Amino acid sequence: MNLVKSGLLAAAAFSALPAFSSQVTQWDYVVDSAFNAAQTTFSAGRASSNGTVAPSNLQISWGVANGSVGVNRSALEISATPSSGVLVTDGASQLANTYTHVNNGNLGRNSVSLLTTQIDAQLQLRPSGSGLPYASYLASYTVNFAETPNVSGSCVVQGAVACDDIFVISGSLNEAFVYDGFEYFVSFFAAPTLDTLDDTVCAAAGAGPGCIGFTTQEFMATTVNFNLAITSRAIEVPEPGSIALLGAGLLGLVGLRRRHPRA
């Protein structure tokens, strides 16, 4: 996705909103995410295995054809979407979406497995109680995944049972915008926290050095929540009461440009 274009769309949405005379203390939000089937790729494998993107694009699974997730298929799933609520400026974070990797070790040798996918996320935001239309921002995040072979002595990441699988996410998790004399920072962050992975681990997932992500243990379901927070600071605005957006838009869920995600 062209982040500059997305930022312009968000700017247009906010420029239509009347200015507030003071800091916005609460925001209504909606976050809706899904996998992009057209941007999902799988490794080659034996004829009896396949990869699919489920209805509503909320589950990607791979392994034995016509099998069951958790039995002879692994999966990557999005839940708690769409999520909505109220964000307090400089207050506690709120749940955005939840991602779960169901890591099954019974796929068999040379099974099809996930290589890459894209998460398309839409954030809608407006001052609470204003009755104004939501300003929307669209962002896309790339996921590189490595279903590592469970062969003794060949692990890139040695897990408690066998080789851990590798999950890498890239894109912009933080952005900023200016609204009526205050600069607001919108941040997505993961729990557990995303880590900077070793370069050899990044390479195993087809990602570049310094990649961000986590590893998952075989025969377990690993869940990661992405939370959303908004902070602020007062700034000098050339024309008081004007509305302007800075940066690429409200959100950017991967490349960590302004701040690292909080735990």
Side-chain angles (χ1 to χ4, degrees):
M1 173 174 291
N2 186 319
L3 293 180
V4 173
K5 181 179 180 181
S6 298
L8 293 175
L9 293 175
F14 265 86
S15 65
L17 304 183
F20 277 51
S21 58
S22 60
Q23 181 192 52
V24 177
T25 59
Q26 292 187 327
W27 303 81
D28 299 329
Y29 77 92
V30 180
V31 180
D32 195 3
S33 300
F35 296 115
N36 187 323
Q39 300 299 320
T40 301
T41 64
F42 298 92
S43 66
R46 62 181 188 274
S48 60
S49 65
N50 69 347
T52 61
V53 181
S56 301
N57 290 2
L58 296 181
Q59 182 193 73
I60 301 173
S61 66
W62 59 96
V64 174
N66 302 314
S68 300
V69 172
V71 178
N72 47 20
R73 292 180 69 82
S74 289
L76 190 61
E77 302 171 335
I78 302 176
S79 58
T81 189
S83 64
S84 61
V86 175
L87 281 171
V88 176
T89 302
D90 301 317
S93 66
Q94 300 295 326
L95 178 67
N97 301 136
T98 298
Y99 297 83
T100 300
H101 175 215
V102 181
N103 194 345
N104 188 276
N106 296 320
L107 304 184
R109 187 180 295 275
N110 298 323
S111 172
V112 165
S113 64
L114 177 67
L115 288 179
T116 63
T117 190
Q118 178 176 296
I119 299 169
D120 293 334
Q122 180 186 56
L123 170 66
Q124 299 182 75
L125 200 63
R126 70 180 178 187
S128 295
S130 65
L132 297 169
Y134 283 97
S136 296
Y137 180 79
L138 297 175
S140 295
Y141 310 96
T142 299
V143 172
N144 286 60
F145 180 82
E147 180 83 54
T148 56
N150 295 311
V151 179
S152 178
S154 66
C155 292
V156 178
V157 180
Q158 179 65 55
V161 177
C163 304
D164 283 1
D165 290 345
I166 304 165
F167 182 100
V168 173
I169 189 166
S170 59
S172 179
L173 287 171
N174 304 283
E175 269 304 337
F177 64 96
V178 171
Y179 186 72
D180 197 27
F182 287 84
E183 186 173 20
Y184 298 91
F185 299 90
V186 178
S187 302
F188 279 89
F189 54 92
T193 305
L194 297 179
D195 295 320
T196 300
L197 302 177
D198 186 85
D199 289 352
T200 58
V201 178
C202 297
C211 70
I212 303 295
F214 53 90
T215 62
T216 59
Q217 186 176 319
E218 289 291 318
F219 303 103
M220 290 188 64
T222 300
T223 296
V224 176
N225 291 320
F226 274 83
N227 284 14
L228 176 66
I230 186 166
T231 58
S232 68
R233 68 183 180 93
I235 62 171
E236 293 290 333
V237 179
E239 298 179 6
S242 66
I243 302 171
L245 273 177
L246 296 180
L250 284 177
L251 166 70
L253 205 224
V254 181
L256 314 185
R257 294 203 306 257
R258 287 187 176 268
R259 298 177 179 174
H260 290 292
R262 298 185 292 169

